[in-house]
Amino acid sequence: MSRPSSPNGSSEETVTSHARQKEASDKGALSESKQPSSHDSEHSPSFLGFRNLMVIVLVVMNLRLVVENFQKYGVLICLRCHDYRRHDLMLSTLLYALVPCHLFVAYVLELGAAQHAKGVLGRLKRSAERNPDSDPLMTSRAFQATWYTIAWAHGINASFCLLVTTFTVYYHIHHPLIGIICQIHAIIVWLKNCSYAFTNRDLRHAYLYPQHTSWDELPELYSQCPYPQNVTIGNLAYFWWAPTLVYQPIYPRTPSIRWTFVAKRLAECASLSIFIWLASAQYAAPLLHNSLSKISTMDVPSILERLMKLSTVSLVIWLAGFFAVFQSVLNALAEIMRFGDREFYTEWWNSPSVGNYWRTWNKPVYHFMRRHIYSPLVGRGFSSGFASLIVFVFSGLLHELLVGVPTHNILGVAFAGMVVQLPMIAMTTPLERMEGVNGRVVGNCIFWISFCLVGQPLAALIYFFAWQAKYGSLSKQKV
């Protein structure tokens, strides 16, 4: 017989189940309260979507400017509108043909110096056999005069090449682009001539004064072509075409030439050259022409507006030119010459300071300045600040020759732009040395602002205005 259930049994079970549910809900709420908040999370949220949005906005904004440009001006590209005079082309070709003559003179000078060094070394050995304590090289005034004569001859030869080109471009070549190409080649050859003379001078010193030379300072690669075996026409001709400004008796070489690689680099250069031409004719030229009236009336707000508008176009053109030269042309030339050292630039776009940019964006020029100007000055007891000042003053003079001479307006703007880099370097160097990333981010922003707004667009406006005032529409208005 079954035992009757208690009338309160069901109510007790119900109360117990409610209590258990309440306890479980309290534990769940307690466990949820222990979850970390968004501020305490170890994983920061990803902003990849916002980055993609910024890229899309930039693309759309620039496409709108493209459409607006075509609606306002139409197609401005014209093959026959450029003033390429036959006279300019003939003179530029002649200037290029004169360069091997100056290089041959440099070779003759070094050949004479090498022969003289061999003779002096032979007399030194005979003198040492007769009198081991004598050192005729240190006391011979005739010997010192010979080296001074060779140095002056090298200086006159190298400078004469640059002076002839500069005079011809300034007074006889009208088109600025042709003049700039001539000046670039003349400056490159001038720097190569100087490096050829300086390096051979050091090699002669090591050849004649082995007891005063630490052979550990000379690269091991130099032993494959010791002085004076490097003084040959072929050696100098290779240096003329090699994508470097610093002379060495021998360079690292690649085993073969990859012609497919060369074809790709040349195709890149051709495509980027066409792009630069289109961007300059369709976008930069109208902006520059529309700025003339604002500059002539000194309408400062309008000048600032044009400057900011020009900054985008000039930046795109500069980046395309940089890639065409340093990535395409120099790599193609290095491949043809089997040149082993291909570091023509490093990540300058991430520069945390202005100084870092100048050390990384143009490695061939940086190596020349450091080896032949900065290091010798510091080695002679000058401070690093003074050596940097000399480097930027020298670079400013070269920039003025490169821009002011072809535009027939030596204004000093390019020179001043280089000298102004020194206080900017002093201002951003502490940011580069700060712990953490904040200082480096601020330094990189300062670099880009000065690069995009203050540097190239302002110089382009000033030199274009001066050109138009001398040869263009403003000169016709004055008449």
Side-chain angles (χ1 to χ4, degrees):
M1 216 178 146
S2 62
R3 186 175 178 179
S5 61
S6 173
N8 297 328
S10 60
S11 61
E12 290 178 357
E13 292 177 358
T14 303
V15 171
T16 304
S17 63
H18 282 302
R20 290 175 180 175
Q21 291 177 1
K22 183 178 180 181
E23 183 179 358
S25 64
D26 292 341
K27 290 181 179 179
L30 182 62
S31 63
E32 290 179 359
S33 65
K34 292 181 179 180
Q35 294 295 326
S37 63
S38 60
H39 296 287
D40 299 330
S41 177
E42 296 180 357
H43 302 284
S44 60
S46 174
F47 295 101
L48 180 63
F50 283 109
R51 188 194 67 180
N52 296 336
L53 175 63
M54 292 173 62
V55 173
I56 293 173
V57 169
L58 287 174
V59 171
V60 172
M61 290 176 62
N62 283 279
L63 286 178
R64 183 192 67 81
L65 294 176
V66 171
V67 174
E68 180 184 357
N69 179 274
F70 278 103
Q71 288 178 343
K72 188 175 182 180
Y73 303 108
V75 178
L76 299 177
I77 298 163
C78 177
L79 293 175
R80 300 181 179 179
C81 298
H82 298 278
D83 189 13
Y84 292 114
R85 302 177 182 179
R86 182 178 297 180
H87 177 73
D88 294 347
L89 296 175
M90 292 178 61
L91 284 177
S92 61
T93 304
L94 180 61
L95 289 174
Y96 184 83
L98 288 176
V99 168
C101 300
H102 294 283
L103 292 176
F104 182 76
V105 172
Y107 161 72
V108 171
L109 291 174
E110 278 304 319
L111 184 63
Q115 296 298 327
H116 183 272
K118 290 180 180 179
V120 171
L121 187 61
R123 290 193 297 271
L124 175 63
K125 290 181 179 180
R126 290 192 297 269
S127 176
E129 291 175 357
R130 292 191 298 266
N131 185 8
D133 298 330
S134 65
D135 189 3
L137 288 176
M138 300 298 294
T139 58
S140 175
R141 295 182 179 179
F143 170 77
Q144 299 292 340
T146 302
W147 300 138
Y148 286 131
T149 303
I150 293 173
W152 275 103
H154 268 303
I156 293 173
N157 176 56
S159 300
F160 184 72
C161 177
L162 181 60
L163 289 175
V164 168
T165 304
T166 301
F167 178 85
T168 306
V169 169
Y170 189 81
Y171 289 104
H172 300 288
I173 294 181
H174 175 75
H175 199 280
L177 179 59
I178 297 177
I180 287 176
I181 294 175
C182 293
Q183 283 295 103
I184 289 176
H185 186 244
I187 291 174
I188 289 175
V189 171
W190 186 77
L191 294 176
K192 284 177 177 283
N193 263 327
C194 293
S195 182
Y196 185 70
F198 290 149
T199 304
N200 277 307
R201 177 202 61 188
D202 296 338
L203 293 175
R204 274 196 305 274
H205 185 274
Y207 177 71
L208 295 171
Y209 296 89
Q211 69 276 14
H212 300 291
T213 302
S214 176
W215 293 101
D216 296 336
E217 298 176 358
L218 295 177
E220 185 179 353
L221 188 66
Y222 285 18
S223 60
Q224 300 180 19
C225 185
Y227 185 87
Q229 297 179 16
N230 64 300
V231 184
T232 62
I233 294 180
N235 185 275
L236 181 56
Y238 181 87
F239 176 55
W240 177 26
W241 282 98
T244 180
L245 297 176
V246 177
Y247 173 74
Q248 293 181 189
I250 191 172
Y251 295 93
R253 304 287 292 274
T254 56
S256 61
I257 301 175
R258 299 170 296 172
W259 291 108
T260 304
F261 179 86
V262 175
K264 289 180 179 179
R265 301 290 81 79
L266 294 179
E268 290 173 356
C269 179
S271 302
L272 289 170
S273 299
I274 295 173
F275 172 79
I276 292 171
W277 171 56
L278 297 177
S280 301
Q282 186 68 40
Y283 300 101
L287 281 174
L288 291 170
H289 280 287
N290 293 336
S291 304
L292 295 176
S293 59
K294 311 299 181 184
I295 299 176
S296 60
T297 58
M298 290 304 295
D299 187 354
V300 177
S302 298
I303 293 175
L304 293 176
E305 185 267 338
R306 295 292 173 183
L307 195 64
M308 288 185 287
K309 202 170 183 180
L310 184 62
S311 63
T312 303
V313 180
S314 65
L315 177 63
V316 171
I317 293 174
W318 189 93
L319 290 176
F322 170 83
F323 191 90
V325 173
F326 287 88
Q327 179 63 26
S328 301
V329 173
L330 292 184
N331 272 291
L333 184 59
E335 188 68 26
I336 294 173
M337 302 297 295
R338 295 171 52 205
F339 189 77
D341 187 3
R342 307 287 177 91
E343 190 182 49
F344 305 118
Y345 64 92
T346 53
E347 297 178 0
W348 58 266
W349 48 88
N350 295 327
S351 296
S353 66
V354 177
N356 183 267
Y357 162 74
W358 288 110
R359 292 190 298 269
T360 55
W361 90 274
N362 190 338
K363 282 291 188 176
V365 172
Y366 168 73
H367 289 317
F368 178 91
M369 297 293 184
R370 185 171 185 85
R371 176 168 177 175
H372 295 304
I373 299 179
Y374 182 87
S375 296
L377 288 174
V378 174
R380 285 170 172 79
F382 293 96
S383 64
S384 59
F386 178 79
S388 299
L389 175 64
I390 298 300
V391 166
F392 276 92
V393 168
F394 177 72
S395 181
L397 293 173
L398 295 183
H399 277 77
E400 192 64 37
L401 289 176
L402 186 60
V403 180
V405 171
T407 57
H408 310 282
N409 289 284
I410 303 179
L411 307 175
V413 174
F415 174 80
M418 290 303 300
V419 176
V420 168
Q421 300 300 312
L422 288 171
M424 295 187 64
I425 291 174
M427 180 178 64
T428 55
T429 298
L431 297 174
E432 182 181 6
R433 297 173 180 174
M434 288 178 59
E435 296 182 358
V437 298
N438 293 332
R440 300 173 68 87
V441 170
V442 174
N444 186 254
C445 292
I446 293 174
F447 152 69
W448 277 116
I449 292 173
S450 64
F451 184 82
C452 297
L453 293 178
V454 183
Q456 300 173 41
L458 182 60
L461 278 178
I462 294 174
Y463 281 103
F464 184 79
F465 179 79
W467 169 267
Q468 291 295 328
K470 196 169 185 179
Y471 299 106
S473 58
L474 293 180
S475 63
K476 295 178 183 179
Q477 292 177 6
K478 292 178 182 180
V479 176

